[in-house]
C-alpha cells in the first residue's frame, strides 16, 4: 500500500464512474488520520473568479471545480510565496492558501503571475479511512506531483499527462475509452 502524503496526485482510474471524479486528477493537500482533502486540478468551473468574488477587478481568471464539498468556498494553490502571505508549502514549489485579501490586492494591481496560481470552488474530502478504502478498490492511482503538472495550462491534458508520467504501463491507460462496453 502506498503511503499517502500532502502533495501527491490522485489520478482517477480510467473506469471510475463517479461523475464528480471521472478522469480527474486531485492534488492532495492534507492527509491525516482524521481525514484528507485536496482539489481537482483539471476540471474548469463554468464561471471565472471575478464573477464569484466581486472585489476581483481582473477578468479572465479561471476557476477550477475543486470537488463536491463546500462549493460555496474559494481556495487556491500557488508558486508565489514571496508575494502571498500565509501559504503552507505542501511540497517544494507548491503552496496551499494564504491571505485571500492579499491575493485580491495582488491580482488587482497585476503583480501575480496567473500561470503560478490556481483557484478552486469547493474541495474533495474524505473521512477517516475513506481514501484508503478507495485506494484498495483501485478508484485512484497515487502518484508524485510536480509544479509543471499541477499548473499545466492545458487542464484537459492533465489526466493523460499524469498517467504518462508514471511510465509505459500507465501511459496506455490514457487512451482507454470511458466505457469499454461501447468499444
Amino acid at each position: 500500500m502506498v503511503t499517502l502524503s500532502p502533495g501527491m496526485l490522485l489520478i482517477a482510474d480510467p473506469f471510475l464512474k463517479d461523475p464528480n471524479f471521472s478522469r480527474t486528477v486531485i492534488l492532495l493537500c492534507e492527509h491525516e488520520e482524521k481525514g484528507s482533502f485536496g482539489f481537482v486540478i483539471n476540471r474548469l468551473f463554468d464561471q471565472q473568479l471575478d464573477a464569484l468574488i466581486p472585489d476581483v477587478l481582473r477578468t479572465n481568471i479561471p476557476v477550477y471545480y475543486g470537488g463536491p464539498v463546500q462549493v460555496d468556498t474559494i481556495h487556491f494553490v500557488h508558486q508565489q510565496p514571496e508575494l502571498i502571505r500565509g501559504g503552507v508549502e505542501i511540497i517544494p514549489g507548491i503552496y496551499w492558501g494564504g491571505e485571500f485579501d492579499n491575493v485580491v490586492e495582488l491580482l488587482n494591481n497585476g503583480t501575480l503571475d496567473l500561470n503560478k496560481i490556481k483557484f478552486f470552488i469547493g474541495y474533495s474530502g474524505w473521512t477517516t479511512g475513506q481514501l484508503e478504502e478507495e485506494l484498495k478498490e483501485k478508484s485512484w492511482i497515487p502518484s508524485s506531483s510536480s509544479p509543471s503538472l499541477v499548473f499545466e495550462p492545458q487542464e484537459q491534458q492533465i489526466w493523460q499527462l499524469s498517467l504518462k508520467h508514471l511510465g509505459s504501463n500507465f501511459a496506455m491507460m490514457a487512451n482507454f475509452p470511458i466505457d469499454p462496453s461501447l468499444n
Side-chain angles (χ1 to χ4, degrees):
M1 185 69 146
V2 173
T3 302
L4 295 173
S5 61
M8 292 187 78
L9 295 180
L10 300 173
I11 306 165
D13 178 82
F15 306 118
L16 183 65
K17 298 280 189 227
D18 184 331
N20 288 307
F21 299 112
S22 177
R23 304 277 166 128
T24 61
V25 177
I26 295 176
L27 173 65
L28 194 60
C29 292
E30 192 170 280
H31 179 71
E32 297 180 357
E33 191 174 312
K34 65 182 182 205
S36 308
F37 87 92
F39 304 110
V40 174
I41 61 172
N42 65 322
R43 183 166 291 161
L44 273 177
F45 189 63
D46 61 1
Q47 291 181 297
Q48 295 185 335
L49 191 63
D50 61 305
L52 300 170
I53 307 291
D55 290 344
V56 174
L57 305 176
R58 203 163 167 187
T59 60
N60 299 319
I61 300 172
V63 175
Y64 294 81
Y65 174 74
V69 183
Q70 288 190 337
V71 291
D72 59 347
T73 59
I74 299 288
H75 308 269
F76 60 96
V77 296
H78 63 91
Q79 295 180 284
Q80 300 173 88
E82 69 285 356
L83 297 173
I84 299 172
R85 296 186 299 265
V88 174
E89 187 173 38
I90 55 174
I91 62 167
I94 300 178
Y95 296 78
W96 159 51
E99 296 177 18
F100 197 75
D101 290 343
N102 173 224
V103 170
V104 170
E105 179 184 325
L106 294 168
L107 285 170
N108 288 341
N109 69 25
T111 305
L112 288 181
D113 180 346
L114 296 181
N115 294 313
K116 294 182 176 185
I117 190 165
K118 254 187 176 175
F119 293 93
F120 305 94
I121 188 161
Y123 65 90
S124 301
W126 296 266
T127 58
T128 303
Q130 183 182 5
L131 182 54
E132 287 79 3
E133 269 311 304
E134 290 180 15
L135 286 168
K136 285 179 191 170
E137 294 167 358
K138 302 209 181 296
S139 296
W140 301 104
I141 302 164
S143 173
S144 61
S145 66
S146 68
S148 62
L149 277 172
V150 172
F151 295 97
E152 166 62 46
Q154 302 297 316
E155 76 283 336
Q156 69 277 12
Q157 294 180 18
I158 293 173
W159 185 77
Q160 289 89 353
L161 290 171
S162 297
L163 285 170
K164 290 175 182 174
H165 177 75
L166 291 172
S168 59
N169 289 344
F170 290 94
M172 66 181 188
M173 294 172 76
N175 297 317
F176 284 2
I178 292 175
D179 186 347
S181 68
L182 300 176
N183 211 7

